[in-house]
Amino acid sequence: MSPDRQSTTAVEPERYELRSPSYVRFESNRRGFLKFLGSGVVVVCAAPRTAGSQESGRSRRDSEDDLPRELDAWLHIDPSGGITAFTGKVEVGQNIRTSLSQAISEELHVPPASIQLVMGDTRLVPFDMGTFGSRTTPTMNLQLRRVSAAARDALIAIAAKKWNVDPASLTAENGRIVDTSSTRSATYSELVKGQQITELLPSEDPLIPATQWKIAGRTLPKVDGRDFVTGKHRYPSDYKLPGMLFGKIVRPKSFNATLISADIREAESLPGVTVVRDGNFLGVAAETSVLAARAAASVRAEWKSDPQPSNGELFDYLKKNRVPKDRDDGSVHEIGNVKEAFSSTEHRLNSTYQIQYIAHAPLEPRAAVAQWDEDHLTVWTGTQRPFGVRSELATAFHLPEEKIRVQMPDMGSGYGGKHTGDAALEAARLARAAKRPVKVVWTREEEFTWAYFRPAGVIEVSCAANGDGKITAWEFRNYNSGTAGIRTYYDIPNQRIEFVPVDSPLRQGSYRGLAATANHFAREVQMDEMAAFLKMDPLEFRLKNLKDDRLRAVFQEGAKKFGWEKKKPSNGVGFGMGGGYEKLGYVATFAEVFVDSGTGTVTVQRIVTAFECGAIVNPDGLRSQVEGANIMGIGGALFEAIQFQDGRILNPHFAQYRVPRFKDVPKIETVLLDRKDLPSVGAGEAPIVGIAPAIGNAIFQATGQRLRSLPLAPDGLKATVKS
Amino acid sequence: MPRKYTLLINGQSFSVDVEPDEKLLSVLRDELDLTGTKYGCGEGQCGACTVLIDGRAQRSCITPISAASGKSITTVEGLAKEDRLHPVQQAFLDEEAMQCAYCTSGMIMSAVSLLNQKQDPSNAEILQFMQGNICRCGTYPRIVAAIRRASGAMKESRP
Ligand code: FES
Ligand code: FES
């Protein structure tokens, strides 16, 4: 893969992610900043320039005293020797608190658990667009490492001056600076006492090869694991403040509804209940959650809404409802002459693939606690974008952002589903009216209904190939799913790839891997269809059309581990593969599926995933992410689908919306390819893209049924075939 | 009308003033600030709220306070003895059986209940017993490994 293609991929804009127009800002000046941190050693690190920050990327200083506005991270060693690092990234279960602590600990030679890592607190940390897009490992890990190394060097310089020796003779060991030429040593605390040192590191392209920086490459247990197994850790939904009330929102019966009237008399007559009606917002706050629920239930509200589409007509709807011109961000990528290639090539296939909406359903629903102090607002909430939530709040309450502080305790995950600040807005609105702190925790039903969904889509694919298995032409049209992973990585001379944005009937947004799951599904099933059509082995067919070495490597390694060559389908058992890359993570997934011919039940028996994301930072954490992505992916592949009708969700409960459980889990084997020569990238997303096509292709091999709609078999195979 | 209930939680006695149909989960979390027990669905479908009542796993989100009163309740906060983690807690750490860990306390409580009933469950028995607990992060294989490990550790420590 050529370097310039690599960088295009890395910053490929994704319409469901880039909502935030601003990039990085820093509000306090150097004096205010130092006052906050007190004395000691402070190292700050300027953010790298990116496509989005070209203009502001030049070290812009408002005055001599000011720090540049674009900062990525900072670290403070206080006079007691305490080490605190600050980052705008947040912990949502991807274990970055541990991997980032690990990076710092190695440079500063202190135990990881002794480092305090402040994450996602908008008052304390540098601006950050959000934790998504698998950007934490490639950027933040390296930035914190640089900052920590600089802090270590600053400590060495202090010691060298104090002892009047050559800094080269000093090293850091176990939280001390040690003079190797004598037995002299000093703790960090002894060294920083009375010092006030600030160092600014210039920005640097973080994507430098791993060989140039020290890779941890070993497994570290979760730094605060004990707090989780003892129940001590407080998630956003566990927050509690003195005098806090519980909020409850009165929801409309359907989406896009307007509030006509509300009888709130009964609710208001309940002891200590505050009722808020503000436009379409209707909510209550009360002393207990039980009372809040009762008050909300007593409100008689009348809503009005227009008829809305339902599942039955979804795919038709998506093809007919392109967004109006002024909002159209569609795209066409074309090379060669597709038309001519199609007409001159021997074998042609056309297929249409469909993808239903699915829900993230994080186990911790959206939650927020809001507190006003005069016109200052503090919110604790679970989000992947604390600064994004801050600007949502600023807009909603007409406040400057400096008056709002959003804090993000490590939360019960999001998978791309918690980019918005809905619960924070609701809690803040109620708290302002009640003049007390208010907590809002969504119910499971609210989470399934009022959050946003992974976009549904229709994808039309045409492919032409010669009898020898060389693909000559490729046409790919995606309605609504999105552009992530839309380009083909197969080597095809004539291509036309189009994205058609649609006015989605349901609220939609980011999801783990974004549209890459849908696009990979369509592409990799089409590849399988063509291989079958040409009576070629699907692996051989792929490799024949694939030049990308990294992708070839994962397909080949995965096939080896899986035993692809030796596998022959038998008795309802089939094998399939799917692979590709996303966010510079390369994946090939192989699945073994059993279809019971009597009941139609589909069982995934075994999965082998070969994965490569550059140099490996934490192998066990990586394995865990790959396994988790596969298991989550089984749900979207086989049975998850949001059912909706006329603006209402019909299956907003775990009893109706099936998610993978213990018995759905196959044997999972993960082959990790460690490329020490390549930059390390995140792994939260890429491994999810191969599973759906692998399962679909395996079902085809087992049964001869070609399934082109996700989920593939929500009620087993028979039901699917019938409908 | 609210009534007074006495609850025996983690060996300690608490008295609360709540409605008889209020669920144990909200009493634990909101009244007693025992937030280790989680809300995941409130419908008995996910297992995040699992506690032990007289040694058996129960979903606290569908257990009315009136049914819990007078019985011995154990939450995740009550498993460790002083500084010593319960073998199941230790096994979850050793197997890294968590990502966001929001499901973890419910998983641990279910696992403790399983191992109370059956010292050495087969894999199939583990899956069957744990089927009601959801982990959206997909750490299931590690949880099974943790339960196996804990089962081994508990066997060893028995005389
Ligand atoms: S919260 Fe009780 S089972 Fe889900
Ligand atoms: S670890 Fe996140 S839900 Fe289980």
Side-chain angles (χ1 to χ4, degrees), chain A residues 91-415:
Chain A
E91 172 67 59
V92 299
Q94 76 289 44
N95 223 11
I96 60 171
R97 185 176 289 282
T98 298
S99 60
L100 295 178
S101 300
Q102 188 175 12
I104 299 165
S105 95
E106 290 200 351
E107 297 298 340
L108 275 166
H109 299 269
V110 292
S114 72
I115 297 157
Q116 207 204 334
L117 193 56
V118 177
M119 306 176 85
D121 178 334
T122 61
R123 176 149 309 162
L124 302 182
V125 305
F127 178 85
D128 188 278
M129 218 156 62
T131 304
F132 50 68
S134 299
R135 302 294 298 154
T136 305
T137 302
T139 58
M140 193 48 62
N141 194 295
L142 186 76
Q143 299 294 46
L144 283 175
R145 200 172 273 278
R146 289 177 63 217
V147 164
S148 309
R152 179 197 60 218
D153 292 346
L155 291 168
I156 286 180
I158 298 171
K161 199 164 152 210
K162 193 167 164 184
W163 298 330
N164 199 14
V165 294
D166 179 5
S169 68
L170 305 182
T171 60
E173 268 169 45
N174 293 324
R176 308 175 79 89
I177 299 298
V178 179
D179 184 352
T180 49
S181 62
S182 71
T183 53
R184 193 161 42 184
S185 79
T187 63
Y188 293 172
S189 163
E190 286 158 7
L191 291 170
V192 301
K193 221 164 266 155
Q195 302 277 350
Q196 212 184 77
I197 293 176
T198 311
E199 202 165 317
L200 168 68
L201 300 182
S203 76
E204 194 173 272
D205 181 2
L207 286 174
I208 61 165
T211 39
Q212 290 172 29
W213 47 287
K214 219 188 314 160
I215 284 282
R218 68 193 164 82
T219 293
L220 191 75
K222 206 171 173 69
V223 274
D224 46 358
R226 207 185 159 96
D227 288 350
F228 291 96
V229 298
T230 54
K232 195 173 145 213
H233 173 73
R234 291 215 177 230
Y235 290 85
S237 56
D238 299 331
Y239 261 65
K240 193 174 184 179
L241 293 176
M244 184 183 84
L245 302 176
F246 293 81
K248 181 89 190 142
I249 313 307
V250 181
R251 304 281 178 192
K253 296 281 174 288
S254 62
F255 300 127
N256 308 310
T258 314
L259 183 57
I260 302 296
S261 68
D263 181 351
I264 56 174
R265 280 168 299 180
E266 191 180 333
E268 277 184 323
S269 73
L270 293 167
V273 169
T274 304
V275 184
V276 178
R277 183 185 167 175
D278 182 351
N280 274 339
F281 178 86
L282 193 53
V284 303
E287 293 284 346
T288 67
S289 55
V290 176
L291 192 57
R294 185 175 309 153
S298 77
V299 173
R300 302 271 158 270
E302 203 192 317
W303 305 86
K304 200 180 120 238
S305 63
D306 294 329
Q308 296 167 58
S310 305
N311 282 89
E313 64 217 80
L314 172 63
F315 300 120
D316 210 32
Y317 181 94
L318 293 178
K319 284 186 66 174
K320 288 184 187 145
N321 285 275
R322 187 169 185 138
V323 299
K325 283 238 155 29
D326 57 323
R327 283 188 288 121
D328 196 326
D329 57 348
S331 59
V332 179
H333 161 83
E334 209 163 354
I335 53 172
N337 188 333
V338 176
K339 217 169 178 179
E340 196 184 293
F342 268 110
S343 59
S344 63
T345 305
E346 205 180 339
H347 305 289
R348 288 180 292 268
L349 273 185
N350 300 303
S351 310
T352 300
Y353 304 89
Q354 300 167 332
I355 295 96
Q356 292 277 4
Y357 291 104
I358 64 175
H360 309 82
L363 201 57
E364 181 184 38
R366 268 145 227 262
V369 175
Q371 181 179 37
W372 290 88
D373 180 6
E374 305 283 319
D375 61 346
H376 280 76
L377 171 64
T378 305
V379 166
W380 292 259
T381 191
T383 176
Q384 286 161 265
R385 299 169 64 245
F387 286 90
V389 171
R390 186 180 66 170
S391 59
E392 279 182 56
L393 289 164
T395 309
F397 294 100
H398 311 291
L399 281 178
E401 291 187 347
E402 303 79 66
K403 294 196 170 175
I404 302 172
R405 179 179 188 179
V406 175
Q407 298 187 62
M408 157 60 194
D410 297 4
M411 71 172 174
S413 209
Y415 322 108

Side-chain angles (χ1 to χ4, degrees), chain A residues 91-95 220-222 225-226 228-235 237-238 240 246 288-290 294 359-365 411-413 415 439 441-445 511-512 620 623-625 627-629 631-632 640 652-655 657 659-666 668, chain B residues 19 21-23 26 29-43 45-46 48 76-80 82-85 88-90 92-93 95-96 98-105 107-108 124 126-128 130-144 147:
Chain A
E91 172 67 59
V92 299
Q94 76 289 44
N95 223 11
L220 191 75
K222 206 171 173 69
R226 207 185 159 96
F228 291 96
V229 298
T230 54
K232 195 173 145 213
H233 173 73
R234 291 215 177 230
Y235 290 85
S237 56
D238 299 331
K240 193 174 184 179
F246 293 81
T288 67
S289 55
V290 176
R294 185 175 309 153
H360 309 82
L363 201 57
E364 181 184 38
M411 71 172 174
S413 209
Y415 322 108
K439 170 163 159 175
V441 180
W442 282 17
T443 62
R444 179 53 53 192
E445 183 173 342
Y511 184 96
R512 196 175 195 170
D620 196 55
R623 254 171 232 286
S624 183
Q625 286 293 322
E627 283 168 13
I631 291 169
M632 184 164 218
E640 285 182 43
H653 303 279
F654 280 131
Y657 182 99
V659 298
R661 290 178 183 262
F662 276 91
K663 287 186 188 168
D664 296 310
V665 176
I668 300 178
Chain B
E19 309 270 347
D21 60 345
E22 178 153 359
K23 303 299 184 280
S26 57
R29 291 179 53 81
D30 301 346
E31 302 282 327
L32 305 172
D33 205 26
L34 288 167
T35 54
T37 309
K38 302 299 181 203
Y39 170 91
C41 69
E43 300 162 346
Q45 292 290 332
C46 78
V76 71
E77 290 94 344
L79 275 187
E82 323 257 274
D83 252 4
R84 245 194 32 252
L85 294 180
V88 173
Q89 291 173 308
Q90 189 57 50
F92 269 67
L93 285 184
E95 292 290 340
E96 283 279 295
M98 64 195 95
Q99 285 185 19
C100 79
Y102 193 77
C103 67
T104 302
S105 48
M107 291 286 180
I108 288 176
I126 294 176
L127 299 186
Q128 182 61 35
M130 300 298 292
Q131 183 71 357
N133 286 71
I134 292 174
C135 173
R136 278 301 272 160
C137 298
T139 64
Y140 298 119
R142 283 159 194 253
I143 294 172
V144 173
I147 296 174

Side-chain angles (χ1 to χ4, degrees), chain A residues 506-517:
Chain A
L506 298 185
R507 187 180 179 208
Q508 59 184 20
S510 207
Y511 184 96
R512 196 175 195 170
L514 296 156
T517 42

